[in-house]
């Protein structure tokens, strides 16, 4: 049996102060792409494409609620690292988990 066709979005974030590397992945059926884009764009006051790091707390809350309302699979993979020289190892480990 062939698995259902899916599309996905991935974003990563580094929190040096806390020694955390995060990767967020959202997977969905391609038929939801337009609905998802429209719903997320509607959360942004200027109607632009959302970017988590640039949004206010209220907009971030709206984005989380919007994603939660969609028929998608969302996962966050977190890996700790000790020291800046270990970020790439943490990234590789988190990406490996996300790819499973």
């Amino acid at each position: 049996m062939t698995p259902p066709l899916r599309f996905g979005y991935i974003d990563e974030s580094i929190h040096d102060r806390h020694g955390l590397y995060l990767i967020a992945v959202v997977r969905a059926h391609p038929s939801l792409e337009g609905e998802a884009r429209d719903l997320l764009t509607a959360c942004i006051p200027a109607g632009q494409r959302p970017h988590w790091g640039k949004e206010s707390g209220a907009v971030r809350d709206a984005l989380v609620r919007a994603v939660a309302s969609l028929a998608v699979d969302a996962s966050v993979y977190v890996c700790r690292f000790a020291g800046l020289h270990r970020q790439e190892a943490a990234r590789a480990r988190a990406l490996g988990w996300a790819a499973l």
Side-chain angles (χ1 to χ4, degrees):
M1 187 162 108
T2 306
L5 186 60
R6 313 228 344 142
F7 75 93
Y9 297 98
I10 186 169
D11 198 9
E12 52 193 341
S13 178
I14 301 169
H15 298 268
D16 292 332
R17 189 169 43 127
H18 301 291
L20 296 174
Y21 199 96
L22 294 86
I23 294 182
V25 179
V26 176
R27 299 171 198 88
H29 191 274
S31 64
L32 288 177
E33 184 177 8
E35 177 186 352
R37 182 179 44 252
D38 293 346
L39 187 61
L40 295 175
T41 300
C43 294
I44 310 300
Q48 303 291 320
R49 288 181 57 185
H51 190 281
W52 189 262
K54 297 178 183 177
E55 308 305 339
S56 68
V59 170
R60 288 180 184 188
D61 289 347
L63 290 168
V64 169
R65 284 191 302 279
V67 170
S69 74
L70 294 166
V72 299
D73 173 42
S75 303
V76 177
Y77 304 90
V78 182
C79 189
R80 286 196 171 279
F81 60 89
L84 298 179
H85 64 285
R86 300 295 300 159
Q87 282 181 359
E88 282 304 313
R91 180 179 191 264
R93 200 168 22 240
L95 280 171
W97 295 332
L100 294 177

